[in-house]
Structures are given as C-alpha cells and as structure tokens.
Amino acid sequence: MQPAFTPHGLTLTLLLDHASPPARPNLAGMTRDELRAALVAAGVADAGKARMRAGQVWRWIHHYGATDFARMTDIAKPTRAALAQAFTLARPAIASRQESGDGVVKWLIEFAPGVQAETVFIPDVAGSGALCVSSQVGCTLNCTFCHTGTQGLVRNLAAAEIVAQVQVARDDLHEWPTSREDRRLTNVVFMGMGEPLYNLDNVATALDIISDNEGIAISRRRITVSTSGVVPQLKALGERTGAMLAVSLHATRDELRDVLAPINRRYPIAELMAAVRAYPGLGNARRVTFEYVMLKGVNDTAADARALVKLIAGIPAKLNLIPFNPWPGAPYECSDWSAIEAFAAILNRAGYAAPIRRPRGRDILAACGQLRSQSAKPRASALRRMAAPAGPS
Ligand code: SAH
Ligand code: SF4
C-alpha cells in the first residue's frame, strides 16, 4: 500500500491497512421501499421494472425464506449473479441454541461483535406457538423483578435485527414457506429483552415487514407489544402498528409500582390507565392484556386482586398472571400456587379471563424476565483507547 501523505499520514495508513472491503447491504430486513431503492441504486433493476423485481425478491426472502440468490429461479441467471455480487441475505450468527424439557427453544443471536439478544419460541398445545422477540439489547429501565433490568442498555435493535429473530426461528423450525398449514410459529410477542416503546420506530417497521401478506404474514392481531407503561408512546403504537397491547401493571398502588417498575414515578398509574382507555382500536374484540407478575407477600393478596378489579373497571381487558420466574440473586420469590389460584378466582368472578401463564423454559432461563445476555456497553475508557491516534511503532 502506498503511504498516505497527510498530517496524520501514519494513522491513516494504519487504518487503511486494517480496513475490510465494504460490507454488502443485507436485503433480508429491508422494507419494500428500501428494497426497491437498493435494487435501483445498485443498477440491478431499472426504475421502470423496480417494483416488479422487488416484489419477486421480496417473495423469495419473506415467503420462501431464501438465504441464497441462486434459489430465485424465476429471476434470470445473470440478474441473480448481479444480486449476489451487490447484496447479501445472510442471517446473523447464532451464538447458542438451547431447548428445554418442555419444548421451549432459546436462541442467543449475535447481531454484531458483542451485541447479543435472546429470542424464545414457546410452543403451545393447541397447534399454535408464540415467538418472544427482543426489541433492545438490555433495557434502560430497571424493574426490580426483571433480570434484563440488571443489564443496562447496550443499544436498540434495528428493524432488520428484529425481523431476523423471526427468520432465524422459522429456519430452525423448518417453517418456510410461510403458507405451510402446519406452522407452529403463529404469534409474535414483544416480551423479550427491552422496552419496545423506547424503540418504537424500529418496532413499527419490523411489524410492517413481518405482517406483510406476501411475506411472513403474521397478522397484526397476532402480534402483541408489551410495555412497562411508556405513556406518551401508547397512542403512536396503536395508530402506527395496529398491534395488540399488553401492559405490565403488577401493582394497583403507586407506592408499590414505583418500587417494582420505577417508570411509574414518571408516568403514575392514573396516567397509564387513561392512556390505555384511549388506546386506538380498543374494544371487546381487541382487549388490552394486563400482565401481573405474582410476587410472594408483595402483591398477591385477595385485597390486591379486588383492587385490581376496581382499577380496570370498564376497560375491555384480560389479565395474564405470571408466576415470578426466579433468576440468580433475585430479591423476590414466586407466590404460592394456592395464592395465585385464589387471586385468579377473584378476577374470574368479576368477569375477567385471567389465565395463569404456565412457567415454560425455566430450566434454560428462557422464561419471562429471565433473559440477560453477556453483551455489555463498551467502557468509555475502551472507546477512548480505540479512538486514540496510533503512536509511532
Ligand atoms: N419491557 C416490556 C417487555 C419485556 S418484559 C415490559 O416490561 O412489558 C415482558 C414481560 O415479562 C413483562 O410483563 C415483565 O413484567 C415480565 N417479567 C419480567 N421479569 C419477570 C420475571 N422475573 N418473572 C416473570 N415475569 C417477568
Ligand atoms: Fe425492561 Fe420490561 Fe424488564 Fe422492566 S420488565 S426492566 S421494562 S424488560
């Protein structure tokens, strides 16, 4: 390599020496518009044919799960070669895969060096199953019962990285093409790592992609976004995505919710309930789910159950009682089964469906609130070292 003559010549030369060839853009997580624009920009389709070409490629990616342009047999060979030269369809690396005794599968996906998030498939008995996806690596909030909350935020996941979680699961479950009648992955829940409403743009774009009828085709009514209660974003979530809403309530008094879910200090219960009542499209056919984690001696008495009934009166709602899932060092215990059943009975008598979420995948720490990755924010000192100009060697 020719030395570069600039005032910082040495530095530049070192950087160039280590520079890798520019990465090929990945088409697998792009929106339809981005895909069309990318094909035109790379000269693979002219503007007149771009819509048709993008439609073909889209179907191969999102209906058939293609990860190789060679499979796209209705596209002429030279065009396929041009696509392969300009783009990639590669999936992110799977750092680990674990399967629990009860059929739950957990993938730890590495999106970039050191940036990992977990995705969990929870098969159901009735032929349907939910994929629990992450929206962030870590979380800025620190709910005291949640393992992810102990990690801190590393970063938001991009829309493509959220979509990739569904693609990785489909690959593993052999569920391409989308139209398979026996598919087990039928629902998506944003209940993995992170607070989806702090990454709403990317969550909404990912939702557009995975609900597209000519692609993965999971309808918006089968996609649930769970929030700890980011009140100012609730309306936008409903209007932008049409997703089903789940709210992590866990307490009916501000003093207690302030401790369990500290976001409550910013948006207290009364404001949260007002925003839920105003959620776009809420009705008997589209109920909000209130999640309530059962913590022994903390929020699980009959009086708590009655207070809950009073609080949600008039809201088209269902309850989801989540037995607390322990994790190393957790400051809580799960309520006794008899207390959970008594709590559910009070809700049922008041007319609410209140299924108790069976703990699944606990043996591999894949249950709700047990997810935590090893990813860590690079320390400021490490970043400074990486950014420092190279000295003479
Ligand atoms: N940040 C969002 C979505 C991710 S958490 C939210 O808080 O809603 C998904 C669900 O898991 C939430 O209802 C959360 O309260 C629950 N959860 C967290 N830790 C848990 C634990 N240890 N046991 C049981 N449920 C837990
Ligand atoms: Fe974040 Fe949700 Fe865990 Fe709270 S419960 S720390 S909001 S992931």
Side-chain angles (χ1 to χ4, degrees):
M1 171 179 294
Q2 292 294 310
F5 295 105
T6 71
H8 303 289
L10 182 58
T11 309
L12 187 57
T13 307
L14 287 173
L15 284 174
L16 289 174
D17 271 344
H18 291 97
S20 41
R24 286 171 295 157
N26 195 323
L27 296 182
M30 290 185 183
T31 63
R32 277 178 183 273
D33 286 348
E34 288 166 350
L35 178 60
R36 193 164 49 224
L39 297 185
V40 174
V44 181
D46 57 45
K49 283 204 181 136
R51 176 178 286 273
M52 183 273 294
R53 182 70 77 218
Q56 278 176 314
V57 174
W58 177 273
R59 216 172 143 67
W60 279 109
I61 296 173
H62 295 288
H63 181 78
Y64 291 107
T67 52
D68 184 352
F69 293 102
R71 274 188 66 196
M72 303 185 176
T73 44
D74 57 354
I75 298 177
K77 259 194 178 163
T79 310
R80 278 186 256 160
L83 281 165
Q85 205 156 33
F87 302 109
T88 168
L89 296 172
R91 301 278 193 251
I94 298 172
S96 74
R97 177 194 191 277
Q98 286 171 281
E99 189 160 352
S100 83
D102 54 13
V104 169
V105 186
K106 178 169 91 168
W107 300 269
L108 177 64
I109 301 180
E110 177 143 305
F111 295 101
V115 179
Q116 300 176 336
E118 292 181 317
T119 307
V120 180
F121 177 64
I122 307 140
D124 198 17
V125 272
S128 62
L131 188 72
C132 180
V133 298
S134 294
S135 54
Q136 300 182 308
V137 178
C139 188
T140 51
L141 300 171
N142 27 36
C143 303
T144 45
F145 52 85
C146 175
H147 204 194
T148 308
T150 63
Q151 184 180 351
L153 179 73
V154 175
R155 73 160 166 82
N156 280 340
L157 288 176
E161 293 168 332
I162 297 171
V163 174
Q165 296 174 60
V166 183
Q167 295 168 330
V168 161
R170 274 260 173 98
D171 292 346
D172 190 314
L173 299 168
H174 306 290
E175 297 207 337
W176 303 107
T178 289
S179 49
R180 284 176 67 117
E181 298 228 323
D182 58 348
R183 63 179 170 161
R184 293 186 298 153
L185 196 178
T186 54
N187 293 53
V188 170
V189 294
F190 282 81
M191 294 184 187
M193 295 165 67
E195 171 48 59
L197 296 199
Y198 281 153
N199 188 16
L200 182 54
D201 277 350
N202 290 333
V203 165
T205 303
L207 238 129
D208 289 343
I209 296 173
I210 58 187
S211 63
D212 188 291
N213 259 337
E214 288 172 22
I216 294 170
I218 295 178
S219 96
R220 291 170 191 273
R221 301 175 60 93
R222 288 180 173 272
I223 303 177
T224 300
V225 175
S226 172
T227 178
S228 60
V230 185
V231 166
Q233 298 286 16
L234 279 184
K235 187 161 177 263
L237 172 72
E239 285 176 350
R240 170 77 174 78
T241 70
M244 304 298 284
L245 174 67
V247 172
S248 297
L249 189 57
H250 311 317
T252 54
R253 293 174 287 117
D254 282 325
E255 308 84 78
L256 178 57
R257 196 163 189 274
D258 281 352
V259 174
L260 298 180
I263 192 176
N264 195 70
R265 294 182 209 148
R266 226 171 309 154
Y267 310 117
I269 292 174
E271 285 179 32
L272 176 58
M273 299 316 272
V276 170
R277 286 174 199 274
Y279 188 69
L282 195 67
N284 282 337
R286 289 186 72 221
R287 292 167 189 267
V288 56
T289 301
F290 288 108
E291 295 157 283
Y292 195 98
V293 62
M294 301 298 299
L295 304 170
K296 186 175 190 163
V298 175
N299 65 355
D300 62 351
T301 64
D304 289 317
R306 287 193 293 269
L308 182 54
V309 169
K310 225 165 135 186
L311 182 67
I312 65 173
I315 303 180
K318 14 184 198 181
L319 279 306
N320 202 331
L321 303 182
I322 316 176
F324 170 67
N325 289 308
W327 37 271
Y332 299 104
E333 280 177 74
C334 182
S335 304
D336 294 331
W337 201 252
S338 56
I340 301 178
E341 285 188 330
F343 198 98
I346 293 172
L347 302 175
N348 291 151
R349 274 201 299 277
Y352 292 99
I356 303 168
R357 198 182 288 172
R358 263 185 315 143
R360 309 282 300 272
R362 272 190 183 175
D363 52 337
I364 56 168
L365 283 188
C368 278
Q370 292 183 311
L371 308 183
R372 189 185 192 285
S373 67
Q374 296 304 317
S375 311
K377 222 184 190 131
R379 285 169 173 278
S381 55
L383 286 175
R384 272 197 302 275
R385 261 201 316 280
M386 277 152 62
S393 51

